[in-house]
Amino acid sequence: MNFTHEKPFIAGNWKMFKTVPEAVEMVQKLHEASLGLEKAQFVVVPPFTALYEVSRALQGSPVQVGAQNMYWEEQGAFTGEVSAPMLKDIGCIYVVIGHSERRQYFGETNETVNNKIKAALNHGLVPIMCIGESLEERENGNTITKVQSQIIEGLKGLEAEKVRQIIIAYEPIWAIGTGLTATPDQAQEVHRFIRSNLAEKHGNDVASCAIILYGGSVKPENSYSLLKEKDINGALVGGASLKAESFAEIAKKAIKAYEEK
Ligand code: PEP
Protein backbone atom coordinates (compact mmCIF):
# COMPACT_ATOMS: atom_id res chain seq x y z
CA MET A 1 0.00 0.00 0.00
CA ASN A 2 1.38 3.42 -0.94
CA PHE A 3 -0.66 5.39 1.56
CA THR A 4 -1.78 5.35 5.15
CA HIS A 5 -4.64 7.03 6.96
CA GLU A 6 -2.32 7.57 9.94
CA LYS A 7 -0.92 10.71 8.31
CA PRO A 8 -2.75 13.55 6.58
CA PHE A 9 -2.68 13.11 2.81
CA ILE A 10 -2.09 16.35 0.95
CA ALA A 11 -2.34 16.28 -2.84
CA GLY A 12 -1.78 19.25 -5.13
CA ASN A 13 -3.67 19.36 -8.42
CA TRP A 14 -1.80 21.79 -10.66
CA LYS A 15 -4.46 21.65 -13.39
CA MET A 16 -3.19 23.25 -16.64
CA PHE A 17 -0.43 25.28 -15.01
CA LYS A 18 3.38 25.22 -15.12
CA THR A 19 5.96 24.60 -17.80
CA VAL A 20 8.54 21.86 -17.24
CA PRO A 21 11.22 24.18 -15.74
CA GLU A 22 8.61 25.79 -13.45
CA ALA A 23 7.38 22.38 -12.36
CA VAL A 24 10.86 21.09 -11.57
CA GLU A 25 11.74 24.21 -9.61
CA MET A 26 8.53 23.87 -7.62
CA VAL A 27 9.09 20.24 -6.66
CA GLN A 28 12.68 20.89 -5.67
CA LYS A 29 11.40 23.47 -3.17
CA LEU A 30 8.62 21.16 -2.07
CA HIS A 31 11.03 18.28 -1.56
CA GLU A 32 13.12 20.46 0.77
CA ALA A 33 10.01 21.55 2.69
CA SER A 34 8.72 17.98 2.94
CA LEU A 35 11.87 16.82 4.74
CA GLY A 36 10.74 18.70 7.84
CA LEU A 37 7.16 17.48 7.43
CA GLU A 38 7.47 13.71 7.47
CA LYS A 39 4.19 13.41 9.32
CA ALA A 40 2.28 14.29 6.15
CA GLN A 41 2.04 12.46 2.83
CA PHE A 42 2.65 14.73 -0.14
CA VAL A 43 1.50 14.12 -3.68
CA VAL A 44 1.90 16.46 -6.65
CA VAL A 45 -0.33 16.15 -9.69
CA PRO A 46 1.28 18.10 -12.55
CA PRO A 47 0.05 18.37 -16.14
CA PHE A 48 1.06 15.45 -18.40
CA THR A 49 3.86 17.42 -20.07
CA ALA A 50 5.74 17.82 -16.78
CA LEU A 51 5.09 14.38 -15.28
CA TYR A 52 8.25 12.66 -16.47
CA GLU A 53 10.64 15.38 -15.35
CA VAL A 54 8.82 15.89 -12.04
CA SER A 55 8.95 12.19 -11.38
CA ARG A 56 12.72 12.13 -12.12
CA ALA A 57 13.32 15.18 -9.96
CA LEU A 58 11.50 13.48 -7.06
CA GLN A 59 13.35 10.17 -7.20
CA GLY A 60 14.24 9.25 -3.61
CA SER A 61 11.95 11.96 -2.24
CA PRO A 62 8.96 11.25 0.02
CA VAL A 63 6.88 13.46 -2.31
CA GLN A 64 4.92 11.21 -4.67
CA VAL A 65 3.50 11.85 -8.13
CA GLY A 66 0.05 11.50 -9.66
CA ALA A 67 -1.61 12.28 -12.99
CA GLN A 68 -4.75 14.32 -13.58
CA ASN A 69 -6.52 11.83 -15.85
CA MET A 70 -6.07 8.68 -17.93
CA TYR A 71 -7.91 6.51 -20.45
CA TRP A 72 -9.04 2.99 -19.61
CA GLU A 73 -7.61 1.14 -22.61
CA GLU A 74 -3.97 0.01 -22.43
CA GLN A 75 -3.01 1.24 -25.89
CA GLY A 76 -4.49 1.73 -29.33
CA ALA A 77 -5.93 4.28 -31.72
CA PHE A 78 -7.11 6.78 -29.10
CA THR A 79 -5.56 10.04 -30.21
CA GLY A 80 -4.80 12.42 -27.40
CA GLU A 81 -5.22 9.87 -24.63
CA VAL A 82 -2.76 8.44 -22.10
CA SER A 83 -3.06 4.99 -20.51
CA ALA A 84 -2.44 3.59 -17.04
CA PRO A 85 0.67 1.59 -18.07
CA MET A 86 2.12 4.77 -19.61
CA LEU A 87 1.62 6.62 -16.33
CA LYS A 88 3.16 3.77 -14.34
CA ASP A 89 6.08 3.75 -16.75
CA ILE A 90 7.03 7.32 -15.83
CA GLY A 91 6.71 6.87 -12.08
CA CYS A 92 3.11 7.84 -11.32
CA ILE A 93 1.57 6.24 -8.26
CA TYR A 94 -1.76 8.05 -8.25
CA VAL A 95 -4.28 9.22 -10.82
CA VAL A 96 -7.10 11.70 -10.28
CA ILE A 97 -10.31 10.40 -11.81
CA GLY A 98 -13.58 12.20 -12.42
CA HIS A 99 -12.50 15.68 -11.34
CA SER A 100 -15.51 17.98 -11.65
CA GLU A 101 -13.76 19.96 -14.40
CA ARG A 102 -13.45 16.75 -16.42
CA ARG A 103 -17.10 15.93 -15.78
CA GLN A 104 -18.18 19.48 -16.63
CA TYR A 105 -16.02 20.26 -19.69
CA PHE A 106 -15.01 16.87 -21.09
CA GLY A 107 -18.12 14.78 -20.76
CA GLU A 108 -16.97 12.39 -18.03
CA THR A 109 -19.73 10.35 -16.46
CA ASN A 110 -19.96 7.93 -13.57
CA GLU A 111 -19.61 5.18 -16.15
CA THR A 112 -16.34 6.50 -17.61
CA VAL A 113 -15.12 7.11 -14.07
CA ASN A 114 -15.88 3.47 -13.23
CA ASN A 115 -14.01 2.22 -16.33
CA LYS A 116 -11.01 4.37 -15.49
CA ILE A 117 -10.93 3.29 -11.85
CA LYS A 118 -10.95 -0.36 -12.83
CA ALA A 119 -8.16 0.14 -15.37
CA ALA A 120 -6.07 2.18 -12.91
CA LEU A 121 -6.37 -0.53 -10.25
CA ASN A 122 -5.57 -3.29 -12.72
CA HIS A 123 -2.31 -1.53 -13.49
CA GLY A 124 -1.36 -0.75 -9.92
CA LEU A 125 -2.24 2.95 -9.88
CA VAL A 126 -4.12 4.42 -6.92
CA PRO A 127 -7.23 6.24 -8.17
CA ILE A 128 -8.25 9.45 -6.42
CA MET A 129 -11.95 9.48 -7.29
CA CYS A 130 -13.54 12.95 -7.18
CA ILE A 131 -17.18 13.43 -6.28
CA GLY A 132 -19.27 16.41 -5.25
CA GLU A 133 -22.45 18.37 -5.78
CA SER A 134 -23.20 21.61 -7.62
CA LEU A 135 -24.53 24.68 -5.86
CA GLU A 136 -27.99 24.02 -7.24
CA GLU A 137 -27.94 20.44 -5.95
CA ARG A 138 -26.88 21.64 -2.50
CA GLU A 139 -29.56 24.34 -2.42
CA ASN A 140 -32.20 21.79 -3.40
CA GLY A 141 -31.14 19.46 -0.61
CA ASN A 142 -29.71 16.89 -3.01
CA THR A 143 -26.10 16.78 -1.82
CA ILE A 144 -26.22 13.33 -0.26
CA THR A 145 -28.23 11.79 -3.11
CA LYS A 146 -25.74 13.12 -5.64
CA VAL A 147 -22.68 11.97 -3.73
CA GLN A 148 -24.27 8.59 -3.07
CA SER A 149 -24.96 7.95 -6.75
CA GLN A 150 -21.43 9.00 -7.69
CA ILE A 151 -19.95 6.58 -5.16
CA ILE A 152 -22.22 3.68 -6.07
CA GLU A 153 -21.79 4.05 -9.82
CA GLY A 154 -18.11 5.01 -9.67
CA LEU A 155 -17.28 1.93 -7.58
CA LYS A 156 -19.67 -0.43 -9.36
CA GLY A 157 -18.44 -4.02 -9.65
CA LEU A 158 -15.47 -3.54 -7.34
CA GLU A 159 -14.73 -5.97 -4.51
CA ALA A 160 -13.91 -4.64 -1.05
CA GLU A 161 -10.25 -5.49 -1.60
CA LYS A 162 -10.17 -3.09 -4.58
CA VAL A 163 -12.18 -0.37 -2.87
CA ARG A 164 -9.57 -0.40 -0.09
CA GLN A 165 -7.01 0.80 -2.65
CA ILE A 166 -9.01 3.87 -3.70
CA ILE A 167 -8.86 7.38 -2.30
CA ILE A 168 -12.05 9.44 -2.44
CA ALA A 169 -12.00 13.23 -2.72
CA TYR A 170 -15.17 15.08 -1.80
CA GLU A 171 -15.06 18.35 -3.73
CA PRO A 172 -18.23 20.44 -3.73
CA ILE A 173 -18.22 22.03 -7.19
CA TRP A 174 -19.31 25.41 -5.80
CA ALA A 175 -16.15 25.54 -3.67
CA ILE A 176 -13.61 24.74 -6.39
CA GLY A 177 -11.54 27.73 -7.45
CA THR A 178 -14.19 30.10 -6.11
CA GLY A 179 -12.68 31.05 -2.76
CA LEU A 180 -15.82 29.60 -1.12
CA THR A 181 -15.05 26.72 1.23
CA ALA A 182 -17.49 24.29 2.77
CA THR A 183 -17.55 24.92 6.51
CA PRO A 184 -15.88 22.17 8.53
CA ASP A 185 -19.38 21.03 9.61
CA GLN A 186 -20.69 20.92 6.03
CA ALA A 187 -17.65 18.97 4.88
CA GLN A 188 -17.73 16.58 7.86
CA GLU A 189 -21.40 15.80 7.27
CA VAL A 190 -20.65 14.58 3.74
CA HIS A 191 -17.43 12.81 4.75
CA ARG A 192 -19.30 10.98 7.49
CA PHE A 193 -21.89 9.90 4.96
CA ILE A 194 -19.20 8.68 2.54
CA ARG A 195 -17.54 6.61 5.27
CA SER A 196 -20.84 5.12 6.41
CA ASN A 197 -21.74 4.29 2.82
CA LEU A 198 -18.39 2.51 2.39
CA ALA A 199 -19.05 0.59 5.62
CA GLU A 200 -22.50 -0.45 4.47
CA LYS A 201 -21.41 -1.56 1.01
CA HIS A 202 -17.85 -2.78 1.55
CA GLY A 203 -17.47 -3.42 5.28
CA ASN A 204 -16.25 -1.61 8.37
CA ASP A 205 -12.69 -2.55 7.77
CA VAL A 206 -12.57 -0.78 4.38
CA ALA A 207 -14.45 2.23 5.75
CA SER A 208 -12.33 2.73 8.84
CA CYS A 209 -9.06 2.96 6.94
CA ALA A 210 -10.40 4.78 3.87
CA ILE A 211 -8.72 8.06 3.00
CA ILE A 212 -11.35 10.68 2.26
CA LEU A 213 -9.97 14.03 1.11
CA TYR A 214 -11.71 17.38 1.09
CA GLY A 215 -11.16 19.72 -1.84
CA GLY A 216 -12.45 23.19 -2.64
CA SER A 217 -10.47 26.36 -1.96
CA VAL A 218 -8.31 24.74 0.73
CA LYS A 219 -5.61 27.16 1.85
CA PRO A 220 -3.32 27.62 4.87
CA GLU A 221 -6.04 29.65 6.65
CA ASN A 222 -8.69 26.90 6.61
CA SER A 223 -6.75 23.64 6.48
CA TYR A 224 -6.45 23.26 10.24
CA SER A 225 -10.18 23.51 10.93
CA LEU A 226 -11.10 21.19 8.05
CA LEU A 227 -8.52 18.56 8.93
CA LYS A 228 -9.62 18.62 12.57
CA GLU A 229 -12.86 16.97 11.50
CA LYS A 230 -13.06 13.29 12.30
CA ASP A 231 -13.66 11.96 8.80
CA ILE A 232 -11.41 14.32 6.85
CA ASN A 233 -8.07 12.63 6.16
CA GLY A 234 -6.47 15.15 3.90
CA ALA A 235 -6.94 17.68 1.16
CA LEU A 236 -6.96 17.86 -2.61
CA VAL A 237 -5.64 21.35 -3.21
CA GLY A 238 -5.83 23.29 -6.47
CA GLY A 239 -4.79 26.97 -6.49
CA ALA A 240 -2.90 26.91 -3.20
CA SER A 241 -0.75 23.97 -4.35
CA LEU A 242 0.95 26.02 -7.05
CA LYS A 243 3.40 27.57 -4.60
CA ALA A 244 5.62 25.32 -2.46
CA GLU A 245 5.28 27.66 0.53
CA SER A 246 1.48 27.61 0.72
CA PHE A 247 1.31 23.89 -0.05
CA ALA A 248 3.81 23.14 2.74
CA GLU A 249 1.94 25.48 5.09
CA ILE A 250 -1.30 23.55 4.44
CA ALA A 251 0.55 20.33 5.31
CA LYS A 252 1.92 21.88 8.51
CA LYS A 253 -1.58 22.86 9.64
CA ALA A 254 -2.91 19.45 8.66
CA ILE A 255 -0.24 17.72 10.77
CA LYS A 256 -1.19 19.88 13.77
CA ALA A 257 -4.88 19.09 13.29
CA TYR A 258 -4.16 15.37 12.95
CA GLU A 259 -2.07 15.35 16.12
CA GLU A 260 -4.85 17.04 18.06
CA LYS A 261 -7.70 14.84 16.81
C1 PEP B 1 -9.20 21.17 -7.29
O1 PEP B 1 -8.80 21.50 -8.38
O2 PEP B 1 -9.40 19.97 -7.06
C2 PEP B 1 -9.48 22.20 -6.28
C3 PEP B 1 -10.01 21.82 -5.16
O3 PEP B 1 -9.16 23.50 -6.61
P1 PEP B 1 -9.09 24.77 -5.60
O4 PEP B 1 -8.29 24.32 -4.39
O5 PEP B 1 -8.39 25.82 -6.38
O6 PEP B 1 -10.49 25.11 -5.24
Side-chain angles (χ1 to χ4, degrees):
M1 202 72 124
N2 288 302
F3 54 85
T4 165
H5 74 294
E6 315 256 311
K7 293 179 178 187
F9 185 103
I10 312 296
N13 170 19
W14 295 0
K15 312 194 187 203
M16 200 172 70
F17 291 102
K18 291 195 190 291
T19 60
V20 173
E22 287 167 351
V24 170
E25 191 192 340
M26 157 79 186
V27 291
Q28 278 160 350
K29 282 193 198 153
L30 188 60
H31 168 69
E32 281 158 31
S34 74
L35 296 179
L37 298 170
E38 287 86 1
K39 289 181 182 164
Q41 298 166 91
F42 284 98
V43 176
V44 288
V45 185
F48 285 131
T49 46
L51 271 177
Y52 178 67
E53 288 299 337
V54 162
S55 173
R56 270 169 41 122
L58 287 174
Q59 260 168 25
S61 166
V63 180
Q64 298 175 310
V65 182
Q68 297 178 17
N69 181 33
M70 55 164 266
Y71 191 56
W72 58 82
E73 295 288 350
E74 276 180 38
Q75 58 180 12
F78 302 104
T79 303
E81 294 295 323
V82 170
S83 72
M86 289 169 178
L87 295 177
K88 276 292 277 188
D89 186 39
I90 55 165
C92 281
I93 294 177
Y94 302 89
V95 58
V96 173
I97 293 184
H99 190 280
S100 63
E101 287 152 13
R102 301 243 20 119
R103 293 179 190 256
Q104 189 178 351
Y105 305 126
F106 303 101
E108 298 228 358
T109 62
N110 290 332
E111 195 182 345
T112 61
V113 166
N114 183 248
N115 288 339
K116 290 180 181 194
I117 287 180
K118 286 176 176 161
L121 290 169
N122 284 342
H123 292 282
L125 286 169
V126 178
I128 301 178
M129 178 176 84
C130 300
I131 56 175
E133 81 288 1
S134 66
L135 185 58
E136 195 187 351
E137 286 159 341
R138 173 159 284 267
E139 285 174 349
N140 291 336
N142 292 330
T143 299
I144 295 297
T145 325
K146 174 69 181 288
V147 164
Q148 182 173 34
S149 64
Q150 288 177 320
I151 305 177
I152 292 175
E153 290 173 42
L155 302 182
K156 199 166 164 180
L158 292 169
E159 302 291 329
E161 215 29 63
K162 293 282 186 191
V163 176
R164 187 193 292 281
Q165 297 163 40
I166 297 171
I167 292 175
I168 295 181
Y170 166 58
E171 299 206 304
I173 298 168
W174 49 271
I176 298 181
T178 57
L180 295 174
T181 321
T183 63
D185 281 353
Q186 283 173 322
Q188 167 58 22
E189 186 191 358
V190 181
H191 279 239
R192 187 195 304 116
F193 169 76
I194 295 169
R195 205 178 294 283
S196 66
N197 190 272
L198 289 176
E200 190 188 315
K201 305 267 187 257
H202 306 283
N204 282 333
D205 194 32
V206 169
S208 62
C209 52
I211 294 192
I212 308 173
L213 310 178
Y214 171 78
S217 299
V218 174
K219 26 189 190 288
E221 300 80 62
N222 57 26
S223 51
Y224 173 81
S225 56
L226 286 161
L227 269 287
K228 267 287 251 180
E229 293 296 334
K230 180 170 180 287
D231 292 302
I232 303 185
N233 305 105
L236 181 53
V237 187
S241 73
L242 293 169
K243 290 216 165 83
E245 298 74 22
S246 55
F247 195 50
E249 200 50 37
I250 288 171
K252 226 180 260 178
K253 301 274 170 65
I255 291 170
K256 185 169 186 294
Y258 239 66
E259 283 175 346
E260 293 175 11
K261 273 207 230 205

